[in-house]
Structure formats: C-alpha cells, structure tokens
C-alpha cells in the first residue's frame, strides 16, 4: 500500500523531471547549433557578442539563472510573466544550448579545410558541403562529449526545485521529512536507470558511427 | 586555339607576393607538368586557377573565353563561380576523401547533387541516378578499384585513396584535370600505381596539369614542362628542353639538387 502511494507520488515528480529533460534537449540541440554558428561568424562583432554571452552563461551557476529568469522579468514588468515551469525551461534551454554550442564549435572546427575545399572544387554549394560532407563527421566527433552533457542534464533537472517545482527528489524528500527514508534510494535507483539507458543509447550510436574512421 | 590561357596571374598573401605574374597556356589533350622548388608558388597557382583563391591580378581564358579577370572587382556570385569551377578538376596532395562515404559514394556524391539542378531531374530521376552510378563504376574500374567499391577510405592504402580521389574528380568530366603533387603524401613504393594511372589518362588524351617532384615521370609523361621559381615561370618547353637542356641557372641548380637525392 505504502509502496504504491510513494510510487504514485514520485511519479508526479518524475513527470516534471522528464519534461524538463526532454524539452531542454529538443530545444537546446538546434539552438546550440545556431549559437555555434554565431560564435564562428566572420562578422567579428557578432562573434564576440555571442562568445561573451556563452562565457557568462557558462560562468554563472545554472541555479542562479533559474532564479533570475523566474523573478527578474516579472519584477521589471510588475507582474509575473513566465510561469514557474516556463522559466525553468527557458533557463535550461539557454544554458544547455551554450554548452552544446561549444561542443559543436569544437567539432566543426576540427574538420579540416581540405574537406570543404574538396567539396567546393566538386561544384557543391556551401550548404551541400555542410550537410553532405561536414555534418556527419561532426556528429561522430561530438557524440562522446554530448553524451556527457546529456547525462549531466538528467541530474541538473533537480535544480528546478529552487523555484518550487516538485521534481522527483523533492517528492522523495517530502517523505523523508516524515521519517520515511527508502523513497530517497528509490529515487537514486530511478536516476541510475535513466542514466544507464542513456549510456546504452550513446554506446549504440557510437557503434553505429563506428563503420568509418576519421 | 589554346584550351587554357593564364595571363599575368598575381597573388599576394599579406606582404608576400607569392605569384608575380604567371603566364602559360596549353592545348587540349596536352599534359603539362609544373616543377620548381617548394615555396615557388605552384600550389597557389593551381588554387587560383581552381577558384580556391582569388588572384589579385591577371586573366584566365578557357577556349579563348574569359573565365576570370582579376581587374573586375565586383564579386561573382557563388553560383557563377561554381559553374566555372566545374570546368576543372583538382586532385589534392592529401586526397581529402570523404571518410563517411564508400568509394562509390565518394565518386557519385557530387554528380548526384549536381544532377538535382537538371530540369528533367524529377521526370527521369531513376535513370539519371543509374547513369551516374554506371559512369562512376566504369571510372573506378579505370583506376583499378572495382573490388573496393563498397570500402571506406579508412580501409584503403594511400595509393588507393589517391586513385579514388582521381576517380572522384574524373566523374564530373572536367575539361582539365589538375594534380597538386599527387604522390607526395605516399610511401615511395606506392607512387608507381598513381603514376601508372596518370600515364593511362595521358594516353587517353585527358588534358592535365601536374605539379610534381617526380622529374623522371614528368619527362616521360609530359608534352611540355614549366619551371617555376619565386612566383614566375622561369623556363618552359618540351621535356628535352627543360629537363635535359635547361638554359636557366636556377633550373640547372634545381635539377642537379634533385639528382643528388
Ligand atoms: N594562405 C596563405 N597565406 C599566407 N601565405 C601563404 C598562403 N599559401 C601559401 N603561402 C605562401 O606562399 C608561398 C608559396 O606557397 P605554395 O604555393 O604552396 O608553393 P609550392 O606549392 O610551390 O611549394 C609560400 O611561401 C607559402 O608560405
Ligand atoms: Mg605545393
């Protein structure tokens, strides 16, 4: 009985955890690419602007960013504009997009000039060179660091509690405060399973791209 | 009429003038070798002709028609440049194959992308793609790699990689094929297979410009040879003229240095 009650309650928190994880990933993956293009722009002022932004976002704790995004816009305008959940998502997406952008940039810059030039003398457009020649190689190269980031994201979702979003740890802690300890370990098992699945997924993807070297 | 005419090409990087007014021309079906010590501007010359660099001055004519004029500063659109670029093929010293594609895919990628621009692509898609594959396979056969069709570049030797990159360039049927030291990145025992392929292309009257340090090969395969030094063409003529009876002191010094190796 107690087991089911706890499970249901944890599932509630879990729902938020998973939503934050999935939405952040879906939005930050493409946004990161856009930011990485910005930071590599030949138009220097834009590149510096984007790099400074990335530096700030990566330098300030995510927890603080979540708090700022929840309180400050509402304070400035005089009424709350972002819901708790949207501010968490916004903060996470911006933060993770910046991390991703640096990983993408490393991957893109590691592709030799010769690959672009080979495409160019074969009459490909810039877009074709990027999508047909460069992108797959970048994906292969960024897969491992992206795997690390994604696993960190799973655990970062717990930060949502600083603005009162009940994620899975908060849900477990509520029981602990009544003297019920095992839900904490139950939660730990959940994280292990989640991260385990992701590890398997990334291993699978790396295997899939292992058919060539370079 | 000359198929290619290069006039007074100049190129400066920063403060260094690398090409100081290069002139040469060649006829269809000819093999022209470019020799000269390293740093003399051979690579830069090929890159200027192939639109990988923009020459500061000078003109390039193809079949007597102006292809490039350094004095025109309005920028050509990428599309125009691409169309011009397709007259030429370039084989790089370090191959630059696409690692994620098989040998066949490396050779068919560019022709397939190009075919999408054809007006009849939608109607005849299947047939067009089949033709491209057939053509690619026959070219791969010409360079002797039919058995490696489905291999990836990482599974090939350096010599095989370079043969794929030759096939890849040939698949677009360039008017002129340029080679930038095609054997320099290879172990000595692998240069022979590349030289044989080039020789065979020469016998099929493919128009080629070959930058090379293989003087014996250049003498053997070329119709004409130019010797470059410090960004100019110092001497040009038949292999007998330039290699056996060099007139210029610099040419003599360059050739004797190679002999002593
Ligand atoms: N992109 C570049 N920027 C600056 N200098 C360059 C560049 N490309 C070539 N050079 C210089 O131009 C000179 C000629 O180079 P290159 O054309 O590669 O000669 P070669 O192929 O005959 O050895 C060299 O001194 C080289 O350092
Ligand atoms: Mg060179």
């Amino acid at each position: 009985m107690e087991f089911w009650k706890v499970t249901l309650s944890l599932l509630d928190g879990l729902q938020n955890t998973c939503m934050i994880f999935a939405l952040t990933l879906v939005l930050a993956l493409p946004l990161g690419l856009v930011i990485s293009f910005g930071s590599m722009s030949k138009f220097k002022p834009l590149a510096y602007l984007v790099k400074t932004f990335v530096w700030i976002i990566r330098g300030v704790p995510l927890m603080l960013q979540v708090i700022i995004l929840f309180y400050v816009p509402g304070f400035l305008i005089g009424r709350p504009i972002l819901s708790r959940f949207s501010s968490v998502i916004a903060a996470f997406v911006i933060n993770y997009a910046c991390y991703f952008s640096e990983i993408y940039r490393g991957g893109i810059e590691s592709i030799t000039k010769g690959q672009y030039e080979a495409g160019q003398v074969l009459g490909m457009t810039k877009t074709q060179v990027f999508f047909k020649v460069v992108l797959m190689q970048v994906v292969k190269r960024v897969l491992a660091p992206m795997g690390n980031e994604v696993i960190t994201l799973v655990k970062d979702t717990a930060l949502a509690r600083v603005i009162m979003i009940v994620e899975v740890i908060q849900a477990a802690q509520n029981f602990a405060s009544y003297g019920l300890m095992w839900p904490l370990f139950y939660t730990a098992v959940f994280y292990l399973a989640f991260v385990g699945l992701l590890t398997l997924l990334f291993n699978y993807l790396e295997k899939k791209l292992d058919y060539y070297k370079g | 009429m000359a198929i290619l005419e290069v006039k007074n090409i100049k190129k400066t990087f920063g403060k260094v003038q690398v090409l100081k007014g290069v002139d040469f021309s060649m006829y269809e079906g000819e093999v022209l070798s470019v020799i000269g010590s390293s740093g003399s501007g051979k690579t830069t010359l090929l890159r200027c002709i192939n639109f990988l660099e923009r020459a500061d001055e000078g003109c390039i004519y193809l079949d007597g028609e102006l292809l490039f004029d350094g004095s025109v500063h309005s920028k050509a659109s990428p599309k125009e440049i691409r169309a011009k670029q397709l007259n030429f093929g370039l084989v790089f010293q370090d191959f630059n194959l696409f690692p994620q594609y098989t040998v066949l895919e490396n050779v068919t990628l560019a022709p397939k992308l190009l075919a999408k621009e054809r007006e009849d692509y939608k109607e005849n898609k299947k047939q067009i793609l089949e033709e491209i594959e057939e053509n690619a396979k026959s070219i791969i056969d010409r360079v002797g790699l039919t058995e490696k069709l489905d291999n990836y570049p990482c599974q090939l030797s350096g010599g095989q990689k370079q043969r794929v990159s030759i096939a890849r360039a040939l698949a677009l049927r360039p008017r002129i094929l340029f080679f930038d030291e095609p054997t320099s990145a290879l172990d000595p025992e692998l240069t022979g297979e590349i030289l044989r392929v080039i020789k065979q292309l020469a016998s099929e009257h493919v128009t080629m410009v070959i930058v090379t340090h293989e003087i014996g090969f250049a003498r053997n395969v070329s119709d004409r040879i130019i010797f470059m030094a410090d960004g100019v063409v110092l001497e040009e003529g038949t292999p007998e003229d330039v290699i056996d009876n060099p007139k210029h002191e610099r040419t003599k010094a360059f050739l004797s240095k190679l002999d002593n190796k």
Side-chain angles (χ1 to χ4, degrees), chain A residues 113, chain B residues 13 16 18 36-45 53 180-181:
Chain A
K113 201 169 108 211
Chain B
F13 289 116
V16 187
V18 174
S37 29
S38 115
S40 55
K42 306 179 297 295
T43 297
T44 307
L45 176 63
E53 304 284 356
D180 190 5
E181 299 194 31

Side-chain angles (χ1 to χ4, degrees), chain B residues 108-163:
Chain B
T108 55
L109 178 66
K112 282 184 178 173
L113 291 173
L114 212 58
K116 287 188 184 165
E117 290 168 30
R118 280 170 58 164
E119 272 169 22
D120 62 341
Y121 182 71
K122 280 220 173 81
E123 299 153 50
N124 306 329
K125 184 170 173 185
K126 199 161 170 256
Q127 191 196 341
I128 290 173
L129 293 181
E130 264 170 29
E131 274 170 25
I132 289 173
E133 295 240 333
E134 284 317 304
N135 178 49
K137 282 179 185 165
S138 85
I139 292 171
I140 292 169
D141 190 48
R142 263 162 83 191
V143 300
L145 286 174
T146 299
E147 278 153 36
K148 302 288 182 186
L149 227 44
D150 297 319
N151 284 75
Y152 290 92
C154 60
Q155 300 166 317
L156 303 178
S157 72
Q160 291 169 335
K161 283 184 198 164
Q162 191 58 298
R163 284 189 276 155

Side-chain angles (χ1 to χ4, degrees), chain A residues 169-212:
Chain A
I169 295 182
Q170 178 75 62
Q173 196 181 340
N174 290 342
F175 290 107
S177 63
Y178 293 111
L180 201 59
M181 294 303 145
W182 64 264
L184 290 176
F185 296 96
Y186 193 169
T187 304
V189 169
F190 153 71
Y191 275 106
L192 284 175
F194 200 154
V195 169
L197 272 179
L198 286 173
T199 309
L200 286 179
L201 174 69
F202 274 93
N203 284 349
Y204 168 78
L205 291 177
E206 272 177 45
K207 264 241 166 65
K208 271 222 100 149
L209 290 179
D210 214 25
Y211 67 88
Y212 73 92

Side-chain angles (χ1 to χ4, degrees), chain A residues 57-85:
Chain A
I57 295 294
R58 296 210 307 168
V60 173
L62 177 54
M63 188 192 281
L64 184 56
Q65 292 170 26
V66 171
I67 295 171
I68 288 177
L69 263 181
F70 180 59
Y71 288 106
V72 174
F75 175 77
L76 290 180
I77 292 182
R79 63 192 161 79
I81 44 167
L82 285 178
S83 71
R84 289 176 191 281
F85 193 74

Side-chain angles (χ1 to χ4, degrees), chain A residues 97-139:
Chain A
C98 285
Y99 275 97
F100 290 163
S101 80
E102 284 296 282
I103 295 176
Y104 291 148
R105 188 168 67 86
I108 292 173
E109 286 178 346
S110 74
I111 305 296
T112 58
K113 201 169 108 211
Q115 291 287 306
Y116 293 90
E117 292 185 341
Q120 200 185 330
V121 295
L122 290 167
M124 296 183 204
T125 64
K126 281 206 162 112
T127 321
Q128 287 172 341
V129 171
F130 185 76
F131 284 104
K132 299 288 177 181
V133 174
V134 174
L135 189 60
M136 272 307 281
Q137 298 182 51
V138 172
V139 168

